[in-house]
Amino acid sequence: AAAMETDAPLSPTRMASPPPSARVEADPSPRADPEVHRPAPGSRRVLQGAELKHRLRRIWDVFSEHAYAGPFRRPVSKRVAPDYLDVIKQPISLADIAKKINKGEYSSPEAFAADMRLMYNNALTYNEAGSDLHNAAGELLVLLERTLAEADTFLRPVQRPLPNMLVCGTPGTGKSTLLQQLRALRPELTYIDVGQEIVRGSFHCGHNATMDCYDVDAGSEQRLVEHLAPYAEAGGVVFEYHSPALLPERWIDLVVVLRGEAAALRRRLEGRGYSQAKVQENMDCEIMQVPLQEARESFEEVLVWEMASNRPGQAETVARLLSGYCVIWPASHRTSPHDTRLLLSAANPLPP
């Protein structure tokens, strides 16, 4: 397989939907409607240099790791197809594209997309219709167009005036308390409870009476994403949801995963009147660190902050961190957690 030369391990762009029956907690006492508005999307900027290379590598990974990638990874050899170069005048493979990415030869996403299309169209031209390779090339070409359409905003990210943040964690870890504190510090941000939006907009496939929650299938998720997209593109949105895997990666600039100590979390869940089955499911989720693992699988690790939410005052401390992050947002964009916290300590000193 063609190997990409990278300075650090890369995770493929998240293209698949979350599990088909993601659950939304049914809130017996819904809070006030989130302050949602639909401002016009911000201006876009064209990616260049190292950032463009990084983004293209991640799309390349999707196709290099595909089940049908084998025949496309290396140039077609004369031994396998003696007349190939007589038919195909511009041969290209995933390995060739990888080299061009690494050397910085692509000046735009369009140039990269043109080479990817050329590779699959070559296979369609050379191989007989109905053959395995012809069918594979056709499927991959369709996937490429879908991927590029999904990645349009990703390749030309919105130049957000303020970051988008996702606050997630097992139910009962204090997400609502944290956002109350943050709202007092940053009233100009838009706060969206994704669970409430799912219920209010019927972005689900029905109520699960056994677990007292709403099930979200792939179709419902797609409608939800389309509904939330204008807010995400405008920037300055704080999304609250228990699962980090639901929202597209390109929307989020910082993920905060709240963690709760087991005994305190159990008391909170039982205090909500949850059934023992629902309490135990959430306890197992927290003990197995499911939200944290999902966050690390769904987003670049530098974007994921794990924060304790057990003692009085911790929510205020985290809220001040997030408020400071907004202040230093341009300088902190996708830096390491250590470097970002150094910037935060200078802009917004915190108690030990």
Side-chain angles (χ1 to χ4, degrees):
M4 292 294 294
E5 299 170 8
T6 60
D7 297 329
L10 296 175
S11 57
T13 305
R14 180 168 61 90
M15 301 306 303
S17 297
S21 56
R23 290 171 174 166
V24 180
E25 298 295 328
D27 189 346
S29 56
R31 295 178 290 277
D33 288 349
E35 297 174 4
V36 175
H37 58 285
R38 300 180 76 93
S43 60
R44 297 174 184 267
R45 62 186 171 85
V46 177
L47 295 176
Q48 296 178 338
E51 189 176 6
L52 175 61
K53 289 169 63 175
H54 174 70
R55 307 271 180 166
L56 296 183
R57 284 169 182 161
R58 297 182 63 193
I59 296 179
W60 182 94
D61 280 344
V62 173
F63 292 89
S64 176
E65 296 176 8
H66 194 278
Y68 297 162
F72 302 97
R73 288 192 175 119
R74 296 289 180 187
V76 177
S77 70
K78 289 184 178 180
R79 180 178 58 82
V80 173
D83 64 339
Y84 186 77
L85 295 181
D86 296 330
V87 178
I88 301 302
K89 302 305 180 183
Q90 292 181 283
I92 194 166
S93 68
L94 284 169
D96 298 320
I97 294 171
K99 290 176 183 177
K100 293 179 74 170
I101 294 174
N102 289 333
K103 292 179 179 179
E105 294 182 14
Y106 291 119
S107 59
S108 69
E110 290 76 17
F112 164 81
D115 274 355
M116 292 289 290
R117 291 188 184 104
L118 174 64
M119 176 175 63
Y120 295 129
N121 279 315
N122 283 348
L124 291 174
T125 299
Y126 183 81
N127 294 283
E128 183 179 352
S131 67
D132 288 345
L133 267 175
H134 189 280
N135 292 340
E139 289 187 33
L140 288 168
L141 191 57
V142 170
L143 176 62
L144 174 66
E145 297 305 332
R146 279 209 316 266
T147 302
L148 293 172
E150 168 72 11
D152 179 63
T153 303
F154 174 67
L155 287 169
R156 293 179 179 80
V158 174
Q159 194 170 5
R160 295 187 266 267
L162 286 170
N164 289 334
M165 297 179 278
L166 170 62
V167 176
C168 58
T170 305
T173 50
K175 298 184 294 294
S176 299
T177 300
L178 167 59
L179 294 190
Q180 288 174 1
Q181 298 279 354
L182 182 58
R183 188 189 295 266
L185 296 171
R186 289 282 167 184
E188 74 276 16
L189 298 177
T190 298
Y191 296 82
I192 298 180
D193 182 326
V194 177
Q196 284 191 23
E197 290 296 300
I198 288 172
V199 176
R200 182 166 52 192
S202 296
F203 301 116
H204 57 80
C205 53
H207 184 258
N208 184 325
T210 303
M211 298 307 299
D212 188 23
C213 62
Y214 292 90
D215 293 334
V216 180
D217 60 9
S220 302
E221 177 202 339
Q222 181 60 35
R223 291 189 294 113
L224 173 69
V225 168
E226 291 172 358
H227 168 68
L228 296 177
Y231 316 135
E233 290 176 1
V237 180
V238 182
F239 294 100
E240 174 192 351
Y241 195 54
H242 64 270
S243 171
L246 188 63
L247 301 181
E249 180 191 21
R250 68 182 185 275
W251 288 4
I252 305 300
D253 304 300
L254 181 67
V255 182
V256 177
V257 183
L258 296 181
R259 300 295 313 283
E261 187 269 333
L265 181 59
R266 182 177 289 277
R267 287 194 300 270
R268 294 173 188 171
L269 295 173
E270 291 175 345
R272 294 183 175 190
Y274 287 177
S275 67
Q276 281 303 307
K278 189 168 181 177
V279 169
Q280 192 57 52
E281 181 185 51
N282 284 311
M283 290 298 301
D284 292 344
C285 182
E286 181 64 15
I287 291 168
M288 298 299 292
Q289 301 185 18
V290 172
L292 181 62
Q293 293 304 318
E294 283 188 357
R296 288 173 173 167
E297 291 169 2
S298 302
F299 299 91
E300 294 180 49
E301 193 162 351
V302 298
L303 306 183
V304 179
W305 288 8
E306 179 185 6
M307 299 287 190
S309 179
N310 299 306
R311 300 188 304 276
Q314 285 185 318
E316 180 183 1
T317 297
V318 177
R320 291 177 62 191
L321 274 171
L322 300 186
S323 177
Y325 185 76
C326 293
V327 173
I328 64 166
W329 157 240
S332 66
H333 186 48
R334 293 180 185 265
T335 60
S336 72
H338 174 71
D339 291 342
T340 299
R341 284 172 180 165
L342 286 178
L343 289 169
L344 283 173
S345 65
N348 190 34
L350 296 168

